[in-house]
Amino acid sequence: MFKKVLIAEDLDSISQSIISTLENLSVSNIQSVKYCDEALIKIKKAQAEKKPFDLLISDLSFKQDHRENKLVNGEELIASVKKIQPNIKTIVFSIEDKSFKINSLFNNLEINAYVIKGRNSIKELEVAIQEVYNNNTRILLPQTNTNTITEKSIIEIEAYDISLLTLLSKGLIINEITNEFKKTGLLPNGNSSIEKRLNKLKTYFKANNNVHLIVIAKDMGLI
């Protein structure tokens, strides 16, 4: 089992539950922090001392307070950690359940597992830790969640959609987007096709309208 694990979680109750889980798995060195900057400092220090962490377990969202931090979320933390220690095992433990966001973490940051916080998530986290230790990758729990990663969801968001969302965020209406697509040769570029794609995106992201869709896309870093 892992010997040295770092937890980045700002809620004491959740942090303690993770610690208890790791203790039950006989992890000997467990450290926890509430701030991403502090987590990165510990990673750097451990590397310098040639006693690196084997595993990082991190939330994605951290509540901001009076303390000024350079790293404000788990995604930024993991990206920074990977630059220092590329091979560190990483598990994200978060309430975020949008499949595109989760998939981007697997593809862009090469995390090993993603556990969605919920009713039985501590037990699922324990399973994920064991699976990651056994060198299994791309673990997503719970697997029965309606927003889990499937082949369909992976290919749902394309460059076409990013272009469409970007133009929409700039205030362009359907006719104007059509003209822009025709100028660049982007297909399909008919009014009907663009409207259908927008409706599909709103359904996919559970957006109430175009404005809500743009807010979600910006929150997820798509545009």
Side-chain angles (χ1 to χ4, degrees):
M1 181 46 63
F2 294 111
K3 301 298 183 184
K4 191 174 183 180
V5 178
L6 178 62
I7 303 166
E9 168 62 60
D10 58 355
L11 295 180
D12 289 337
S13 58
I14 296 177
S15 182
Q16 188 54 55
S17 295
I18 299 173
I19 291 172
S20 297
T21 298
L22 291 167
E23 288 175 341
N24 291 337
L25 292 171
S26 300
V27 177
S28 57
N29 189 335
I30 306 168
Q31 299 181 38
S32 63
V33 295
K34 295 182 179 180
Y35 298 93
C36 294
D37 284 8
E38 189 177 349
L40 184 60
I41 290 172
K42 281 186 174 290
I43 293 288
K44 289 180 176 179
K45 185 173 183 293
Q47 281 285 91
E49 295 173 347
K50 300 190 184 302
K51 296 178 181 179
F53 286 94
D54 305 310
L55 172 67
L56 169 65
I57 301 175
S58 178
D59 195 355
L60 288 182
S61 60
F62 290 77
K63 188 175 181 178
Q64 300 302 301
D65 57 18
H66 63 280
R67 179 168 169 171
E68 185 175 346
N69 292 283
K70 293 181 179 179
L71 304 175
V72 297
N73 58 53
E75 191 170 357
E76 292 181 0
L77 168 61
I78 294 171
S80 298
V81 168
K82 288 285 186 174
K83 293 177 181 178
I84 301 166
Q85 191 179 341
N87 297 324
I88 189 173
K89 303 291 187 181
T90 51
I91 297 176
V92 172
F93 189 43
S94 172
I95 196 171
E96 173 64 68
D97 64 357
K98 290 202 168 47
S99 58
F100 180 84
K101 181 68 172 181
I102 296 171
N103 186 63
S104 69
L105 292 170
F106 279 112
N107 287 342
N108 300 330
L109 296 182
E110 298 182 343
I111 66 170
N112 300 96
Y114 194 106
V115 181
I116 300 172
K117 290 179 179 177
R119 186 167 298 169
N120 299 309
S121 55
I122 289 298
K123 291 182 180 179
E124 290 159 354
L125 178 62
E126 182 175 354
V127 172
I129 293 168
Q130 292 172 321
E131 289 292 315
V132 171
Y133 179 72
N134 290 325
N135 291 318
N136 293 322
T137 59
R138 292 188 73 92
I139 301 155
L140 174 62
L141 296 172
Q143 295 178 341
T144 55
N145 188 280
T146 56
N147 289 316
T148 54
I149 297 172
T150 63
E151 187 62 28
K152 181 180 178 181
S153 67
I154 289 173
I155 63 173
E156 282 269 3
I157 306 301
E158 304 169 353
Y160 178 92
D161 302 307
I162 303 300
S163 298
L164 175 55
L165 291 169
T166 299
L167 292 175
L168 191 67
S169 70
K170 293 179 179 178
L172 274 67
I173 60 176
I174 298 296
N175 287 339
E176 293 171 327
I177 294 175
T178 294
N179 291 334
E180 288 298 319
F181 278 8
K182 286 180 178 179
K183 287 179 184 178
T184 58
L186 195 58
L187 297 172
N189 53 30
N191 285 13
S192 178
S193 297
I194 291 173
E195 286 178 353
K196 286 180 181 178
R197 192 62 182 180
L198 274 176
N199 288 332
K200 188 173 183 180
L201 287 169
K202 282 185 283 190
T203 299
Y204 180 74
F205 288 114
K206 299 180 181 179
N208 300 323
N209 49 49
N210 288 349
V211 174
H212 190 201
L213 176 62
I214 294 305
V215 170
I216 292 172
K218 286 183 176 180
D219 286 343
M220 294 179 67
L222 294 177
I223 56 176

